Amino acid sequence: MQINHSLKLLSNKLTSILLLACWLSACGGGSAPVVQNPAPPPVDTSPITYSGPVGATADVQQFKLALWDNISSKERCGACHVQDQQSPSFARNDDINLAYSAANSLVNLTSAQDSTLVTKVAGGHNCWLASDSACADIMTTWISNWANVENNANEIILEAPLAKEPGANKNFPASNELFSSTVYPLLETYCANCHTNSATIPISPYFASSDISEAYGAAKARIELDNPANSRFVGRLRDEFHNCWSDCASNANELVMAIQQMADAIELTLLDEKLVNSKALSLFEGTLATGGGRFEKDVIAKWEFKTGKGGTAFDTSGVDPAMNLSLNGQYSWINGWGIQLVKGKAQSSTASSKKLYDLITATNEFSIEAWVVPANVTQEGPARIISYSGGAENRNFTLGQSLYNYDALLRTSNTDNNGDPALSTADADEDLQAGLQHVVLNYDPINGRQLFINGVFTEDLDNTAPGDLNNWNSTYAFVLGSEVSGEFTWAGSIRMVAIHNRVLSAEQITQNFEVGIGQKFFLLFDVSSITQINQSYVVFETSLYDSYSYLFSEPFFISLDDNAVIEPAPLKGMRIGINGREASVGQVFVNLDTSVNQAEYVAGQGQILSRLGTIIPLEKGAELDEFFLTFEQLGRQTNVVVEADPPLPAEAVDLSAQSDIGMRNFAEINASMATLTGVSQNNSAVKAAYEQLKQQLPAVTNMGSFLASNQMAVTQMAIKYCDQLVESSSLRPAFFSGFDFSQAASSAFTDQDKSLIFNPLITKVLGQNISTQPESSAVANELDTLLELLTDCSAGKVCDANYTKTVVKALCAATLGSAAVTLQ
């Protein structure tokens, strides 16, 4: 705990850092190059030059700007649907009024997604992209823009599903032993070159992993126990000829027999006759809960990740050029829309990324909107989530993560080329969590940078004055994940990203947050035979939360019969069932105790049962998993549930003794140095240093986790605080009262004068009569030894008055950066 130990440690660390710097400069960056497939040649999608009659009405002109200009090129509809060629001639270029007349019968301006133009491209008719669904989404956007649909949500009409009883199911056993002896040997033998995380080019899912548990988890959704021949594994070989090891038909039969062998050893799960249960349905038998309602008037790029496969994420904003993203590294698609990045990225070309430069610098403002799921709260860097960047140290903007914080880096006339100083959310607020979050970064010349999490302003103020964007670089590339392989990587899932070239208002952000994200369904569980209320259902909003689970939220009761009489019906102890049995986890509605009644029921809307949501594990896959509900009581039917005795608690383990001594964390160290020196934490030089170094400072208080790099960051913060203290004309005389800083260093530090430096440092840092702090005399001796080394003015060293300040800064930093401050 003595200061001489800290000084020696500092010397050793400086030597190590110098050696490391030399090694790095000799070896280069060390990042493995990312080999990308060559980009296809650019396609000219520019509209045909129009010189015909002007639009007769404002609606015709809106049709031209929103739809015709986008579809009239020869690479889209203008190759066929023009005058004297294929009818209908909605892309004709001789008279926009005639094109308008032809188009009106092909669009539904109140429900753009139901337009004939959309369904045609969705079916593969002349789609100009590799994904029919992406073409359909873009066509929907153009038609919506014609209709000028911005804020109004489409009405969702609940549709009664086909009533069916929960069936007998074969379910995957908890143990992987059966899988390992039947299906896994084939997967391990013939699929391990790709579908493992250790492959040269890893391809998710890793169902051939050497980790049998990982392989089993990845394989379940691709195995159909009730009909092995319909398994996805089999179809890939039999129908798509994917990676057959000899004859595809015979290889597919081998897999069918292996899956059948596994299925034969699994007993049917029969529904317990005592249960009070609803009818059953699967996810895709529900009513699609896509009602629109997002504010997207100024969207210039958008990725919803709907394709679910391949190496491209399509920009479906409808604003050309499309910024389609190439996926590289370790990534996987998420069912229900999204991508998961581990050590991967999704990057647009520099040519298409220039759209951001052109359209954002024109307005000098923008919003970045995203739905993200950080994998953890330990990522540092900041780890790059969304960037418009030219490398690790040059960017136009970045939204990143540092532990529990979101970071916003932005190049303006008042920041550097890396976007520093960054705006970060407050450490104490822990705004970033490892769960699904809606994040918006706003920037405009009045308010600067602002961050919103789940529809709420974080109240973190941008202390850097807003500037202009005139120094943006138009040659950078847009990227999700790290710009440079192996540096500042981010792990997590991205469900949606949208770039707006105007800021979103607080109301618009809240609106987009409340709309939600992903492919969602209303599951209508039929309970008519139990409640005796005609066409009555308990309804959940359900979606694929990720590749491994479903989200069930906010159940409500409703009758689709407008004339139904809502008789009182008690509803208690509701549980979610899957594949013939109640789910083993996620049963948050077991304590539900309410009653369906006319007083709380709203015609056409139903009666809310709970505002809660829960996660249910995915088992066989979204196409095969069958859901139902059970009740302890519903109406007059009851099922007494006797809960099993909880397991006995594990025997307490006598852990090794923990040290009473710990380290201050980064926020505590910063606050302590500010208090001891009197220099404000908001001092611009100190704040910039803290933002740069805080990820290198201790994050936890455990002594065993303290590293050499932590001490280096502590020392650099101490130097910065002491520099600002000594350079301040008001703080310096108050702290070092009586010392003459105008003297040369060779004569300034007499025995009497040096005490004017030592005493305030020792008194402030060590405190008075604290038994755990070093002895004051021992610290004074260490400082005296350091002073002698620093004021050795031989060998031509210049020891003038300026050097006197440098010496005092060094003495201050040695004391402030020592264990006397960092230990607690």
Side-chain angles (χ1 to χ4, degrees), residues 201-274:
I201 302 177
I203 298 177
S204 178
Y206 303 138
F207 50 74
S209 171
S210 58
D211 182 341
I212 185 66
S213 296
E214 180 182 35
Y216 187 40
K220 288 178 181 178
R222 291 152 185 86
I223 295 174
E224 189 170 335
L225 295 174
D226 297 306
N227 192 344
N230 285 346
S231 298
R232 178 60 178 158
F233 281 139
V234 176
R236 288 285 275 167
L237 293 170
R238 181 191 60 215
D239 306 324
E240 301 174 24
F241 317 112
H242 175 77
N243 198 36
C244 305
W245 51 91
S246 57
D247 175 72
C248 288
S250 61
N251 297 159
N253 286 334
E254 285 184 65
L255 263 176
V256 170
M257 289 187 290
I259 296 171
Q260 188 66 60
Q261 183 183 358
M262 180 179 178
D264 289 343
I266 298 173
E267 294 184 1
L268 279 173
T269 301
L270 300 175
L271 192 67
D272 189 341
E273 294 180 355
K274 298 178 182 177

Coordinates of all heavy atoms in Angstrom, one line a residue, residues 201-274:
I201 N -14.9 -21.3 -42.7 CA -15.9 -20.3 -42.9 C -17.2 -20.8 -42.1 O -18.0 -21.6 -42.6 CB -16.3 -20.1 -44.3 CG1 -15.0 -19.6 -45.1 CG2 -17.3 -19.0 -44.5 CD1 -15.2 -19.5 -46.6
P202 N -17.3 -20.4 -40.8 CA -18.4 -20.9 -40.0 C -19.8 -20.5 -40.6 O -20.0 -19.4 -41.0 CB -18.2 -20.3 -38.6 CG -16.8 -19.8 -38.7 CD -16.5 -19.5 -40.1
I203 N -20.7 -21.5 -40.7 CA -22.0 -21.2 -41.2 C -23.0 -21.6 -40.1 O -23.1 -22.8 -39.8 CB -22.3 -21.9 -42.5 CG1 -21.3 -21.4 -43.6 CG2 -23.8 -21.7 -43.0 CD1 -21.5 -22.2 -44.9
S204 N -23.8 -20.7 -39.6 CA -24.8 -21.0 -38.6 C -26.0 -21.6 -39.3 O -26.3 -21.2 -40.5 CB -25.2 -19.7 -37.9 OG -26.2 -19.9 -36.9
P205 N -26.7 -22.5 -38.7 CA -26.6 -23.0 -37.3 C -25.6 -24.1 -37.1 O -25.3 -24.8 -38.1 CB -28.0 -23.6 -37.0 CG -28.5 -24.0 -38.4 CD -28.0 -23.0 -39.4
Y206 N -25.0 -24.2 -35.9 CA -23.9 -25.1 -35.7 C -24.4 -26.5 -35.2 O -24.1 -26.9 -34.1 CB -23.0 -24.5 -34.6 CG -22.4 -23.1 -35.1 CD1 -22.4 -22.1 -34.2 CD2 -22.0 -22.9 -36.4 CE1 -21.9 -20.8 -34.6 CE2 -21.6 -21.7 -36.8 CZ -21.5 -20.6 -35.9 OH -21.0 -19.4 -36.3
F207 N -25.2 -27.2 -36.0 CA -25.8 -28.5 -35.6 C -24.8 -29.6 -35.8 O -25.1 -30.7 -35.4 CB -27.0 -28.8 -36.4 CG -26.9 -28.6 -37.9 CD1 -26.2 -29.5 -38.7 CD2 -27.5 -27.5 -38.5 CE1 -26.1 -29.3 -40.0 CE2 -27.4 -27.3 -39.9 CZ -26.7 -28.2 -40.7
A208 N -23.6 -29.3 -36.3 CA -22.5 -30.3 -36.4 C -21.4 -30.0 -35.4 O -20.3 -30.6 -35.5 CB -22.0 -30.4 -37.8
S209 N -21.6 -29.2 -34.5 CA -20.6 -28.7 -33.5 C -20.1 -29.9 -32.7 O -20.8 -30.9 -32.4 CB -21.2 -27.7 -32.5 OG -20.3 -27.4 -31.5
S210 N -18.8 -29.8 -32.3 CA -18.2 -30.8 -31.5 C -18.8 -30.8 -30.1 O -18.7 -31.8 -29.3 CB -16.7 -30.6 -31.4 OG -16.4 -29.3 -30.9
D211 N -19.4 -29.7 -29.7 CA -20.2 -29.6 -28.5 C -21.6 -30.2 -28.7 O -22.4 -29.6 -29.4 CB -20.3 -28.1 -28.0 CG -21.0 -28.0 -26.7 OD1 -21.7 -28.9 -26.3 OD2 -20.8 -26.9 -26.1
I212 N -21.8 -31.4 -28.2 CA -23.1 -32.1 -28.5 C -24.3 -31.3 -28.0 O -25.3 -31.3 -28.7 CB -23.0 -33.5 -27.9 CG1 -24.3 -34.3 -28.3 CG2 -22.9 -33.4 -26.4 CD1 -24.3 -34.6 -29.8
S213 N -24.2 -30.6 -26.9 CA -25.3 -29.8 -26.5 C -25.6 -28.6 -27.4 O -26.8 -28.4 -27.7 CB -25.0 -29.2 -25.1 OG -24.8 -30.2 -24.1
E214 N -24.6 -28.0 -28.0 CA -24.8 -26.9 -28.9 C -25.5 -27.5 -30.2 O -26.4 -26.9 -30.8 CB -23.5 -26.2 -29.3 CG -23.7 -25.1 -30.3 CD -22.3 -24.4 -30.6 OE1 -21.3 -25.1 -30.6 OE2 -22.3 -23.2 -30.8
A215 N -24.9 -28.6 -30.6 CA -25.5 -29.3 -31.9 C -26.9 -29.7 -31.7 O -27.8 -29.5 -32.6 CB -24.6 -30.5 -32.2
Y216 N -27.3 -30.2 -30.5 CA -28.6 -30.7 -30.3 C -29.6 -29.5 -30.3 O -30.7 -29.6 -30.9 CB -28.7 -31.4 -28.9 CG -30.0 -32.1 -28.6 CD1 -30.7 -32.7 -29.5 CD2 -30.5 -32.0 -27.2 CE1 -31.9 -33.4 -29.2 CE2 -31.7 -32.6 -26.9 CZ -32.4 -33.3 -27.8 OH -33.6 -33.9 -27.5
G217 N -29.2 -28.4 -29.6 CA -30.0 -27.2 -29.6 C -30.3 -26.7 -31.0 O -31.4 -26.2 -31.3
A218 N -29.3 -26.7 -31.8 CA -29.4 -26.1 -33.2 C -30.2 -27.1 -34.1 O -30.8 -26.6 -35.1 CB -28.0 -25.9 -33.8
A219 N -30.2 -28.4 -33.8 CA -30.8 -29.3 -34.7 C -32.3 -29.5 -34.5 O -33.0 -29.9 -35.4 CB -30.1 -30.7 -34.6
K220 N -32.8 -29.2 -33.3 CA -34.2 -29.5 -33.0 C -35.2 -28.9 -34.0 O -36.1 -29.5 -34.4 CB -34.5 -29.0 -31.6 CG -33.9 -29.8 -30.5 CD -34.2 -29.2 -29.1 CE -33.6 -30.0 -28.0 NZ -33.9 -29.3 -26.7
A221 N -35.0 -27.6 -34.3 CA -35.9 -26.9 -35.2 C -35.8 -27.5 -36.7 O -36.7 -27.1 -37.5 CB -35.6 -25.4 -35.2
R222 N -34.9 -28.4 -37.0 CA -34.7 -28.9 -38.3 C -35.1 -30.4 -38.4 O -34.8 -31.1 -39.3 CB -33.3 -28.7 -38.8 CG -33.1 -27.2 -39.0 CD -31.6 -26.8 -38.8 NE -31.5 -25.3 -39.0 CZ -31.8 -24.4 -38.0 NH1 -32.0 -24.9 -36.8 NH2 -31.7 -23.1 -38.3
I223 N -35.7 -30.9 -37.2 CA -36.1 -32.3 -37.2 C -37.6 -32.3 -36.8 O -38.0 -31.7 -35.9 CB -35.3 -33.0 -36.1 CG1 -33.8 -33.1 -36.4 CG2 -35.9 -34.4 -35.8 CD1 -33.0 -33.7 -35.3
E224 N -38.4 -33.1 -37.6 CA -39.8 -33.3 -37.4 C -40.0 -34.7 -36.9 O -40.0 -35.6 -37.7 CB -40.6 -33.0 -38.6 CG -42.1 -32.9 -38.3 CD -42.9 -32.4 -39.5 OE1 -42.3 -31.7 -40.3 OE2 -44.1 -32.8 -39.6
L225 N -40.2 -34.8 -35.6 CA -40.3 -36.2 -35.0 C -41.6 -36.9 -35.4 O -41.6 -38.1 -35.6 CB -40.3 -36.1 -33.5 CG -39.0 -35.6 -32.8 CD1 -39.2 -35.4 -31.3 CD2 -37.9 -36.5 -33.1
D226 N -42.7 -36.1 -35.7 CA -44.0 -36.7 -36.0 C -44.0 -37.1 -37.5 O -44.8 -38.0 -37.9 CB -45.1 -35.7 -35.7 CG -45.2 -35.4 -34.2 OD1 -45.3 -36.3 -33.4 OD2 -45.2 -34.2 -33.9
N227 N -43.2 -36.5 -38.3 CA -43.1 -36.9 -39.7 C -41.6 -36.7 -40.2 O -41.3 -35.7 -40.8 CB -44.1 -36.1 -40.6 CG -44.2 -36.6 -42.0 OD1 -43.4 -37.4 -42.4 ND2 -45.3 -36.2 -42.6
P228 N -40.7 -37.7 -39.9 CA -39.3 -37.5 -40.2 C -39.0 -37.1 -41.7 O -38.1 -36.3 -41.9 CB -38.7 -38.8 -39.9 CG -39.6 -39.4 -38.8 CD -41.0 -38.9 -39.2
A229 N -39.8 -37.5 -42.6 CA -39.6 -37.2 -44.0 C -39.8 -35.7 -44.3 O -39.3 -35.2 -45.4 CB -40.5 -38.1 -44.9
N230 N -40.5 -35.0 -43.5 CA -40.7 -33.6 -43.7 C -39.7 -32.7 -43.0 O -39.8 -31.5 -43.0 CB -42.1 -33.2 -43.2 CG -43.2 -33.7 -44.2 OD1 -42.9 -34.1 -45.3 ND2 -44.4 -33.6 -43.7
S231 N -38.7 -33.4 -42.4 CA -37.7 -32.6 -41.6 C -36.9 -31.7 -42.6 O -36.7 -32.1 -43.7 CB -36.7 -33.6 -40.9 OG -37.4 -34.3 -40.0
R232 N -36.5 -30.6 -42.1 CA -35.7 -29.6 -42.9 C -34.4 -30.2 -43.4 O -34.0 -30.0 -44.5 CB -35.5 -28.3 -42.1 CG -34.6 -27.3 -42.8 CD -35.3 -26.8 -44.1 NE -34.5 -25.8 -44.8 CZ -34.6 -25.5 -46.1 NH1 -35.5 -26.2 -46.8 NH2 -33.9 -24.5 -46.6
F233 N -33.8 -31.0 -42.5 CA -32.5 -31.7 -42.9 C -32.7 -32.5 -44.1 O -31.9 -32.5 -45.1 CB -32.0 -32.6 -41.7 CG -31.3 -31.8 -40.6 CD1 -31.6 -32.2 -39.3 CD2 -30.4 -30.8 -40.9 CE1 -31.0 -31.5 -38.3 CE2 -29.8 -30.1 -39.9 CZ -30.1 -30.5 -38.6
V234 N -33.8 -33.3 -44.1 CA -34.1 -34.2 -45.3 C -34.4 -33.4 -46.5 O -33.9 -33.7 -47.6 CB -35.3 -35.1 -44.9 CG1 -35.7 -35.9 -46.1 CG2 -35.0 -35.9 -43.7
G235 N -35.2 -32.3 -46.4 CA -35.6 -31.5 -47.6 C -34.3 -30.8 -48.2 O -34.3 -30.7 -49.4
R236 N -33.4 -30.4 -47.4 CA -32.2 -29.8 -48.0 C -31.4 -30.8 -48.9 O -30.9 -30.4 -49.9 CB -31.2 -29.4 -46.8 CG -31.8 -28.2 -46.1 CD -31.6 -26.9 -46.9 NE -30.3 -26.3 -46.7 CZ -29.8 -25.4 -47.5 NH1 -30.5 -24.9 -48.5 NH2 -28.6 -24.9 -47.3
L237 N -31.4 -32.1 -48.5 CA -30.7 -33.1 -49.4 C -31.6 -33.5 -50.5 O -31.2 -33.5 -51.7 CB -30.3 -34.3 -48.5 CG -29.3 -34.0 -47.5 CD1 -29.2 -35.3 -46.6 CD2 -27.9 -33.8 -48.1
R238 N -32.9 -33.9 -50.2 CA -33.7 -34.5 -51.2 C -34.2 -33.5 -52.3 O -34.2 -33.8 -53.5 CB -34.9 -35.1 -50.5 CG -36.0 -35.8 -51.3 CD -37.2 -36.1 -50.5 NE -37.8 -34.9 -50.0 CZ -38.4 -34.8 -48.8 NH1 -38.5 -35.9 -48.1 NH2 -39.0 -33.7 -48.4
D239 N -34.6 -32.3 -51.8 CA -35.2 -31.3 -52.7 C -34.3 -30.2 -53.2 O -34.5 -29.7 -54.3 CB -36.4 -30.7 -52.1 CG -37.4 -31.7 -51.5 OD1 -37.6 -32.7 -52.2 OD2 -38.0 -31.5 -50.5
E240 N -33.3 -29.9 -52.4 CA -32.4 -28.8 -52.8 C -31.0 -29.2 -53.1 O -30.1 -28.4 -53.4 CB -32.4 -27.8 -51.6 CG -33.8 -27.2 -51.3 CD -33.8 -26.3 -50.1 OE1 -32.7 -25.8 -49.7 OE2 -34.9 -26.2 -49.4
F241 N -30.7 -30.5 -53.0 CA -29.4 -31.1 -53.3 C -28.2 -30.4 -52.6 O -27.2 -30.2 -53.2 CB -29.2 -31.1 -54.9 CG -30.4 -31.5 -55.6 CD1 -31.1 -30.5 -56.4 CD2 -30.9 -32.8 -55.6 CE1 -32.3 -30.9 -57.1 CE2 -32.1 -33.1 -56.3 CZ -32.8 -32.2 -57.0
H242 N -28.4 -30.1 -51.4 CA -27.4 -29.4 -50.6 C -26.4 -30.3 -50.0 O -26.8 -31.1 -49.1 CB -28.1 -28.5 -49.6 CG -27.2 -27.8 -48.6 ND1 -26.5 -26.6 -49.0 CD2 -26.8 -28.1 -47.4 CE1 -25.8 -26.2 -48.0 NE2 -25.9 -27.1 -47.0
N243 N -25.2 -30.2 -50.4 CA -24.0 -30.9 -49.8 C -24.3 -32.4 -49.6 O -24.0 -33.0 -48.6 CB -23.8 -30.3 -48.4 CG -22.4 -30.6 -47.9 OD1 -21.4 -30.7 -48.6 ND2 -22.3 -30.8 -46.6
C244 N -24.8 -33.0 -50.7 CA -25.0 -34.5 -50.6 C -23.6 -35.1 -50.7 O -22.7 -34.7 -51.3 CB -25.8 -35.0 -51.8 SG -27.4 -34.1 -52.0
W245 N -23.4 -36.2 -49.9 CA -22.1 -36.8 -49.8 C -21.9 -38.0 -50.9 O -20.9 -38.5 -51.1 CB -21.8 -37.3 -48.4 CG -22.8 -38.2 -47.8 CD1 -22.9 -39.5 -47.8 CD2 -23.9 -37.7 -47.0 NE1 -24.0 -39.9 -47.1 CE2 -24.6 -38.8 -46.5 CE3 -24.3 -36.4 -46.6 CZ2 -25.8 -38.7 -45.7 CZ3 -25.5 -36.3 -45.8 CH2 -26.2 -37.4 -45.3
S246 N -23.1 -38.4 -51.5 CA -23.0 -39.4 -52.6 C -24.2 -39.1 -53.5 O -24.2 -38.2 -54.2 CB -22.9 -40.8 -52.1 OG -24.0 -41.1 -51.2
D247 N -25.2 -40.0 -53.3 CA -26.5 -39.8 -54.1 C -27.5 -39.1 -53.2 O -27.8 -39.5 -52.0 CB -27.0 -41.1 -54.5 CG -28.4 -41.0 -55.2 OD1 -28.4 -40.5 -56.3 OD2 -29.4 -41.3 -54.5
C248 N -28.0 -37.9 -53.6 CA -28.9 -37.1 -52.8 C -30.1 -37.9 -52.3 O -30.5 -37.7 -51.1 CB -29.3 -35.9 -53.5 SG -28.0 -34.7 -53.8
A249 N -30.7 -38.7 -53.1 CA -31.9 -39.4 -52.7 C -31.6 -40.4 -51.6 O -32.3 -40.5 -50.6 CB -32.6 -40.1 -53.9
S250 N -30.5 -41.2 -51.8 CA -30.1 -42.2 -50.8 C -29.6 -41.5 -49.5 O -29.9 -42.0 -48.4 CB -29.1 -43.1 -51.4 OG -27.9 -42.4 -51.7
N251 N -28.9 -40.4 -49.7 CA -28.5 -39.6 -48.5 C -29.6 -39.1 -47.6 O -29.6 -39.2 -46.4 CB -27.6 -38.5 -48.9 CG -26.3 -38.9 -49.6 OD1 -25.7 -38.1 -50.3 ND2 -25.9 -40.1 -49.4
A252 N -30.7 -38.6 -48.4 CA -31.9 -38.2 -47.7 C -32.6 -39.3 -46.9 O -33.0 -39.2 -45.8 CB -32.8 -37.5 -48.7
N253 N -32.6 -40.5 -47.5 CA -33.2 -41.7 -46.9 C -32.4 -42.1 -45.6 O -33.0 -42.5 -44.7 CB -33.3 -42.8 -47.9 CG -34.4 -42.6 -48.9 OD1 -35.4 -41.9 -48.6 ND2 -34.2 -43.2 -50.1
E254 N -31.1 -41.9 -45.7 CA -30.3 -42.2 -44.5 C -30.7 -41.3 -43.3 O -30.8 -41.8 -42.2 CB -28.8 -42.0 -44.8 CG -28.1 -43.1 -45.7 CD -26.6 -42.8 -45.8 OE1 -25.9 -42.8 -44.8 OE2 -26.2 -42.5 -47.0
L255 N -30.9 -40.0 -43.6 CA -31.3 -39.1 -42.6 C -32.7 -39.4 -42.1 O -33.0 -39.4 -40.9 CB -31.2 -37.7 -43.1 CG -30.0 -36.9 -42.7 CD1 -30.0 -35.5 -43.4 CD2 -29.8 -36.8 -41.2
V256 N -33.6 -39.8 -43.0 CA -35.0 -40.2 -42.6 C -35.0 -41.3 -41.6 O -35.6 -41.3 -40.6 CB -35.9 -40.5 -43.9 CG1 -37.2 -41.1 -43.4 CG2 -36.1 -39.2 -44.7
M257 N -34.1 -42.3 -42.0 CA -34.1 -43.5 -41.1 C -33.5 -43.2 -39.7 O -33.9 -43.7 -38.7 CB -33.3 -44.6 -41.8 CG -34.0 -45.3 -43.0 SD -33.1 -46.7 -43.6 CE -31.7 -45.9 -44.4
A258 N -32.5 -42.3 -39.7 CA -31.9 -41.9 -38.5 C -32.9 -41.1 -37.6 O -33.0 -41.3 -36.4 CB -30.6 -41.0 -38.7
I259 N -33.6 -40.2 -38.2 CA -34.6 -39.4 -37.5 C -35.8 -40.3 -37.0 O -36.3 -40.2 -35.9 CB -35.1 -38.3 -38.3 CG1 -34.0 -37.3 -38.6 CG2 -36.3 -37.5 -37.6 CD1 -34.4 -36.2 -39.7
Q260 N -36.1 -41.3 -37.9 CA -37.2 -42.2 -37.5 C -36.8 -43.1 -36.3 O -37.6 -43.3 -35.4 CB -37.6 -43.1 -38.7 CG -38.8 -44.0 -38.5 CD -40.0 -43.2 -38.3 OE1 -40.4 -42.5 -39.3 NE2 -40.7 -43.3 -37.2
Q261 N -35.5 -43.5 -36.3 CA -35.0 -44.3 -35.2 C -35.0 -43.5 -33.9 O -35.4 -44.0 -32.9 CB -33.5 -44.7 -35.5 CG -32.9 -45.6 -34.4 CD -31.5 -45.9 -34.7 OE1 -30.9 -45.5 -35.7 NE2 -30.8 -46.6 -33.8
M262 N -34.7 -42.2 -34.0 CA -34.8 -41.3 -32.8 C -36.3 -41.1 -32.4 O -36.6 -41.2 -31.2 CB -34.2 -39.9 -33.2 CG -34.2 -38.9 -32.0 SD -33.4 -37.4 -32.5 CE -33.7 -36.4 -31.0
A263 N -37.2 -40.9 -33.4 CA -38.6 -40.7 -33.0 C -39.2 -41.9 -32.4 O -40.1 -41.9 -31.5 CB -39.3 -40.3 -34.3
D264 N -38.9 -43.1 -32.9 CA -39.4 -44.4 -32.4 C -39.1 -44.6 -31.0 O -39.9 -45.3 -30.3 CB -38.9 -45.6 -33.3 CG -39.5 -45.6 -34.7 OD1 -40.5 -44.9 -34.9 OD2 -38.9 -46.2 -35.5
A265 N -38.0 -44.0 -30.5 CA -37.6 -44.2 -29.1 C -38.3 -43.2 -28.2 O -38.0 -43.2 -27.0 CB -36.1 -44.2 -29.0
I266 N -39.1 -42.3 -28.7 CA -39.7 -41.2 -27.9 C -41.2 -41.5 -27.8 O -41.9 -41.7 -28.8 CB -39.5 -39.9 -28.6 CG1 -38.0 -39.5 -28.6 CG2 -40.2 -38.8 -27.8 CD1 -37.7 -38.3 -29.4
E267 N -41.7 -41.6 -26.6 CA -43.1 -41.8 -26.4 C -44.0 -40.6 -26.7 O -43.5 -39.5 -26.6 CB -43.4 -42.3 -25.0 CG -42.7 -43.6 -24.6 CD -43.1 -44.1 -23.2 OE1 -43.8 -43.3 -22.5 OE2 -42.6 -45.1 -22.8
L268 N -45.2 -40.8 -27.1 CA -46.2 -39.7 -27.4 C -46.5 -39.0 -26.1 O -46.7 -39.6 -25.0 CB -47.5 -40.3 -28.0 CG -47.5 -40.6 -29.5 CD1 -48.8 -41.2 -29.9 CD2 -47.3 -39.3 -30.3
T269 N -46.6 -37.7 -26.2 CA -47.1 -36.9 -25.0 C -48.6 -36.7 -25.2 O -49.0 -36.0 -26.1 CB -46.4 -35.5 -25.0 OG1 -44.9 -35.7 -24.9 CG2 -46.8 -34.7 -23.8
L270 N -49.3 -37.3 -24.3 CA -50.8 -37.2 -24.3 C -51.3 -36.1 -23.4 O -50.8 -36.0 -22.3 CB -51.4 -38.6 -24.0 CG -51.0 -39.7 -24.9 CD1 -51.6 -41.0 -24.4 CD2 -51.5 -39.4 -26.3
L271 N -52.3 -35.4 -23.8 CA -52.8 -34.3 -23.0 C -53.5 -34.9 -21.8 O -54.3 -35.8 -21.9 CB -53.8 -33.4 -23.8 CG -54.2 -32.1 -23.2 CD1 -53.0 -31.2 -23.1 CD2 -55.3 -31.5 -24.0
D272 N -53.2 -34.3 -20.6 CA -53.8 -34.8 -19.3 C -55.3 -34.5 -19.4 O -55.8 -33.3 -19.7 CB -53.2 -34.0 -18.2 CG -53.6 -34.6 -16.8 OD1 -54.7 -35.2 -16.8 OD2 -52.9 -34.3 -15.8
E273 N -56.2 -35.5 -19.2 CA -57.6 -35.4 -19.3 C -58.2 -34.4 -18.2 O -59.3 -33.9 -18.4 CB -58.3 -36.7 -19.2 CG -57.9 -37.7 -20.3 CD -58.6 -39.0 -20.2 OE1 -59.2 -39.2 -19.1 OE2 -58.5 -39.8 -21.1
K274 N -57.5 -34.2 -17.1 CA -58.0 -33.4 -16.1 C -57.9 -31.9 -16.4 O -58.5 -31.0 -15.7 CB -57.2 -33.6 -14.8 CG -57.3 -35.0 -14.2 CD -56.4 -35.2 -13.0 CE -56.5 -36.6 -12.5 NZ -55.6 -36.8 -11.3

